[in-house]
Every structure is written in C-alpha cells, then in structure tokens.
Amino acid sequence: MKPKDIIKEKGSIWIFGYGSLVWKPDFKYKRSQIGFIEGYKRRFWHGDDFYRGDKEKPGRVVTLVPDHEACTWGVAYEVADSQMEESLQYLDTRETVGGGYVLELCEFTAREGKVQQQPTNDKLLALVYIATSDNPIYLGPAPDSEIAAQIVVCRGSVGLNMEYLLRLAQFMRCCCPDVDDEHLFSIETAALALVL
C-alpha cells in the first residue's frame, strides 16, 4: 500500500513541509501546525533546474537525508477530504514531476506537544516529499561555501535561489527560534558575505 493510500483512510491527510512549503504552500488546507519529524536532517543537496535555477545553472533546494539522531522542523498542513484530490494533484506536479521528489510517511510532532483536536494516543502521520540521490538533478553534498556560491547566482521561473535560502532561514528564526539549523545558517552566512 502506498503512503497516500494509508493516510487517506483517515478522512484527512497531513503534509509536512520543510522547504518552500513552510512559506508558500499554494494548496488548500484546513489548518497548519509548526513542528518536526525525527530521523532526517535538512540539506541543500537537491538541484532545481526550473523553480530556482535553470538547465545551465541549477539552483540548490533542500531535501531530507536520513540521520537517526536528527530532527527537521517545518510545518504540517491538514488537508480535508474535500480538498485532498486538488491539493495532492498540485503537490504531485510541483514536487514529484517538477521537482523530482518521492513520497514518504513520517511521524510528526507538533511544537506544542500535541496536535490540536488530535487524540493524545494517536500518532500523527504526515506525507513528506523527499529527493533521493538516484534523482537525475540531485546534486549531493558540497562545502557550505560552495553551496552558497551556487545559490547566489541562480534564478528560476519563480525567483532567485537566494530568496529561497533567506525565506527558509527567516522561517526558522521567526517560528523555531530555539532551533539551531547549523547547515542552513552556515550557508546563509556564506551567501550573505558574497552579496553584501
């Protein structure tokens, strides 16, 4: 059974965003919660040759890399049954077809300790889009300074790659101020040093 099939049985689904979905979901949802998933770390290792870059200069966007000691903060969106088909169709186009991501199912923990109106003994499962290393536009690891240098020169159909980086860092500072995302903030510092 596919992740979508499992989660659809509950009448609504939760979708966890950790990149541009934290500030620009662009799909219909019922409510959202800030929180985290465990077992993954966020990394700027995925290429983007459409939204934040092009074929000659692919931008860098985040994906999740397995790490059993890590957790990644973001936003989970509850999508009601009546919104599900339209929202999933949009996300599949944006993330799977256009972005090269695959779907996984992860346990989500809300910042407040429990999701509002969710029974405390229920685990909240959320769909997560993750780019894997077998994807043709996966760029993989690089020094933070090299990633930053690539980000500052890239632009795609929706805007500058730098905007993506800065908006993600801003989300973390505003919504998760006690969380130190060392990879994200190191790349932000290096990128800002190149443009200021």
Side-chain angles (χ1 to χ4, degrees):
M1 190 175 270
K2 294 181 180 180
K4 281 188 211 173
D5 298 330
I6 294 168
I7 212 156
K8 276 184 186 177
E9 293 176 359
K10 297 189 175 203
S12 68
I13 60 170
W14 285 85
I15 297 165
F16 179 73
Y18 56 90
S20 60
L21 288 180
V22 301
W23 76 83
K24 189 179 178 176
D26 278 351
F27 60 90
K28 294 179 181 176
Y29 61 91
K30 183 177 173 181
R31 60 191 166 128
S32 64
Q33 296 268 322
I34 294 169
F36 62 89
I37 60 170
E38 295 180 309
Y40 291 95
K41 58 187 176 185
R42 178 180 14 238
R43 291 293 180 261
F44 275 86
W45 290 1
H46 190 54
D48 183 339
D49 60 7
F50 184 72
Y51 297 113
R52 298 293 176 171
D54 58 34
K55 299 286 184 194
E56 290 78 38
K57 291 182 186 175
R60 281 203 177 244
V61 293
V62 292
T63 187
L64 296 178
V65 178
D67 180 340
H68 68 277
E69 294 180 9
C71 74
T72 298
W73 284 80
V75 179
Y77 300 92
E78 184 180 19
V79 178
D81 192 39
S82 61
Q83 304 162 322
M84 202 177 302
E85 186 175 340
E86 182 182 342
S87 295
L88 288 175
Q89 186 175 37
Y90 167 78
L91 285 166
D92 282 348
T93 300
R94 174 177 165 171
E95 305 293 339
T96 309
V97 177
Y101 290 75
V102 297
L103 270 176
E104 297 288 335
L105 200 55
C106 295
E107 187 175 328
F108 172 77
T109 303
R111 178 175 52 196
E112 291 79 22
K114 70 175 190 171
V115 176
Q116 297 168 6
Q117 301 172 354
Q118 183 77 14
T120 55
N121 59 351
D122 261 5
K123 291 181 180 179
L124 178 59
L125 296 176
L127 291 173
V128 184
Y129 289 86
I130 300 174
T132 60
S133 60
D134 59 354
N135 186 297
I137 55 175
Y138 187 85
L139 299 174
D144 291 351
S145 58
E146 187 178 310
I147 292 172
Q150 187 173 357
I151 286 172
V152 299
V153 299
C154 291
R155 177 187 198 96
S157 64
V158 299
L160 299 171
N161 201 180
M162 186 72 170
E163 176 194 22
Y164 178 100
L165 168 65
L166 296 176
R167 283 185 176 236
L168 185 54
Q170 179 184 27
F171 162 79
M172 288 300 295
R173 283 196 182 90
C174 292
C175 299
C176 311
D178 298 328
V179 179
D180 181 23
D181 190 325
E182 186 178 330
H183 177 76
L184 170 63
F185 295 139
S186 174
I187 292 169
E188 179 197 32
T189 299
L192 288 171
L194 292 171
V195 298
L196 296 178

